[in-house]
Amino acid sequence: MVQVIASKTKEPPPREGRIRHIQQYISRMPSLSTTVSKVMEICNRPDASPNDLNRVISLDPVLTGLVLKLINSAYYSLPNQVTSLARAIIMLGLNTVKNLALSTAILQTVGGKDSFKALSMDEFWTHSITVGVTAKAVSALKGIPGMQREEYFVSGLLHDLGKIPLSNCFPEEYGYVMEIASSQGSRMHGAEEKILGMTHCLVGGMIADKWELGGGLRDALHHHHDPDLAPEESQTLVSIVALADTCTHAYEGNPENCNPLEDSLLSSLLGKTGVSIEDLDKVRESVLKEIDKAKIFLQATQG
């Protein structure tokens, strides 16, 4: 089946050629802005304070507007409007502001309509949002501190970024990848490896290296299909993102359809993360309620 489909492609370049093409594509992607880099640097310091962030962000009118837009959106549903950047940073927390700045920079670079050729933009972001919301909900059940849960949401939201360059650089072949995955009921990364000789996880890792995305986010992009290979310090986050991704695929677009007993991979990840079927039932309920709010976060990052 794979050989027949692959033969339709006109003289596909060898794996090494495709990887070089992807590397060149990623090398041409703009670097993160100075403001975002400074925000990341500040938030990685143990002694960082809201005032430190305020001094940097206040010099960037666009990011200032996005922070105020988010704090005053239905995502938080505050009774009174917040007009002070300093107060918004305190209320949101350093981690949320960092994730907003980072998500904004990334999505404005690779998330536009022109970046989606073989992929459906709407389906891509619907899946990504659901994974992010599910990962955040599971992290809450596992007792992850509130300030860290946005990290799980953003890692889930961005976990499939590597698909975008693959779709953009090889639209015809990536169409075959999706056809194989759909017709054979297999996961995309397996079909990617067969047709392209690389996976979106590999490409996600390249993007993370380009932008110097450290810690759990980089590991989620690179290892969400093989969480055992993630560094020990990121195992919990990557495993939960992997669980959220697998569960979302099992939902088939509707969280109410998920049955973990019928999915061996999902059952394995439930065991790895220590999440029970009863926990998953609770997650389903919160996911359904939180998806619309998560779309507001995504809209805020897109300006």
Side-chain angles (χ1 to χ4, degrees), residues 25 110-111 115-116 119 124-125 160-168:
Y25 176 93
V110 301
S115 299
F116 292 82
L119 288 169
F124 179 88
W125 288 123
D160 271 346
L161 275 186
K163 290 181 178 179
I164 297 176
L166 288 176
S167 172
N168 207 329

Side-chain angles (χ1 to χ4, degrees), residues 185-200:
S186 60
R187 300 297 294 273
M188 288 281 286
H189 65 286
E192 290 167 348
E193 186 66 49
K194 290 177 182 178
I195 297 297
L196 299 173
M198 72 183 95
T199 70
H200 64 275

Side-chain angles (χ1 to χ4, degrees), residues 81-259:
Q81 187 174 25
V82 177
T83 58
S84 163
L85 174 62
R87 185 179 175 214
I89 292 172
I90 292 171
M91 294 177 70
L92 290 171
L94 301 187
N95 208 37
T96 297
V97 175
K98 178 193 75 173
N99 288 329
L100 175 63
L102 181 61
S103 300
T104 299
I106 291 175
L107 295 179
Q108 290 183 348
T109 299
V110 301
K113 291 182 179 179
D114 292 342
S115 299
F116 292 82
K117 293 186 178 178
L119 288 169
S120 162
M121 182 175 177
D122 289 342
E123 290 180 5
F124 179 88
W125 288 123
T126 296
H127 171 78
S128 298
I129 287 173
T130 306
V131 173
V133 170
T134 303
K136 183 178 179 180
V138 172
S139 73
L141 280 173
K142 295 300 295 179
I144 302 298
M147 294 293 289
Q148 297 178 22
R149 292 174 197 164
E150 288 296 331
E151 198 85 27
Y152 286 73
F153 169 68
V154 171
S155 295
L157 177 68
L158 302 178
H159 76 287
D160 271 346
L161 275 186
K163 290 181 178 179
I164 297 176
L166 288 176
S167 172
N168 207 329
C169 292
F170 314 112
E172 182 180 358
E173 291 168 288
Y174 209 74
Y176 299 150
V177 167
M178 293 189 293
E179 182 181 330
I180 288 175
S182 176
S183 64
Q184 297 184 358
S186 60
R187 300 297 294 273
M188 288 281 286
H189 65 286
E192 290 167 348
E193 186 66 49
K194 290 177 182 178
I195 297 297
L196 299 173
M198 72 183 95
T199 70
H200 64 275
C201 302
L202 175 66
V203 178
M206 292 179 182
I207 294 174
D209 291 340
K210 158 76 176 181
W211 284 329
E212 299 181 353
L213 305 178
L217 178 56
R218 188 221 182 263
D219 296 330
L221 264 65
H222 195 197
H223 292 300
H224 60 274
H225 286 303
D226 52 6
D228 288 340
L229 298 182
E232 184 176 353
E233 62 270 20
S234 299
Q235 283 272 329
T236 298
L237 184 147
V238 176
S239 295
I240 286 178
V241 170
L243 171 62
D245 182 41
T246 303
C247 195
T248 299
H249 281 295
Y251 294 158
E252 296 182 346
N254 183 351
E256 295 179 351
N257 289 338
C258 180
N259 185 349

Side-chain angles (χ1 to χ4, degrees), residues 274-293:
V275 175
S276 68
I277 295 176
E278 290 74 21
D279 289 336
L280 203 58
D281 288 336
K282 297 176 185 176
V283 167
R284 291 183 218 175
E285 297 173 6
S286 63
V287 165
L288 289 169
K289 295 176 182 177
E290 293 295 320
I291 283 178
D292 287 340
K293 287 179 63 177

Side-chain angles (χ1 to χ4, degrees), residues 10-124:
K10 297 179 181 179
E11 299 180 0
R15 179 179 187 273
E16 293 75 13
R18 294 194 189 99
I19 290 180
R20 282 196 300 272
H21 190 176
I22 287 290
Q23 288 172 332
Q24 291 168 358
Y25 176 93
I26 292 174
S27 70
R28 292 193 297 268
M29 291 166 55
S31 300
L32 297 180
S33 71
T34 302
T35 300
V36 173
S37 297
K38 287 182 178 178
V39 167
M40 298 285 288
E41 179 184 344
I42 289 171
C43 290
N44 287 334
R45 295 201 322 246
D47 60 344
S49 71
N51 284 335
D52 295 330
L53 268 190
N54 185 42
R55 281 193 292 270
V56 171
I57 295 176
S58 63
L59 300 176
D60 188 322
V62 174
L63 186 53
T64 296
L66 289 172
V67 170
L68 292 174
K69 178 181 178 181
L70 180 63
I71 192 68
N72 289 304
S73 71
Y75 188 73
Y76 289 98
S77 301
L78 298 178
N80 299 310
Q81 187 174 25
V82 177
T83 58
S84 163
L85 174 62
R87 185 179 175 214
I89 292 172
I90 292 171
M91 294 177 70
L92 290 171
L94 301 187
N95 208 37
T96 297
V97 175
K98 178 193 75 173
N99 288 329
L100 175 63
L102 181 61
S103 300
T104 299
I106 291 175
L107 295 179
Q108 290 183 348
T109 299
V110 301
K113 291 182 179 179
D114 292 342
S115 299
F116 292 82
K117 293 186 178 178
L119 288 169
S120 162
M121 182 175 177
D122 289 342
E123 290 180 5
F124 179 88

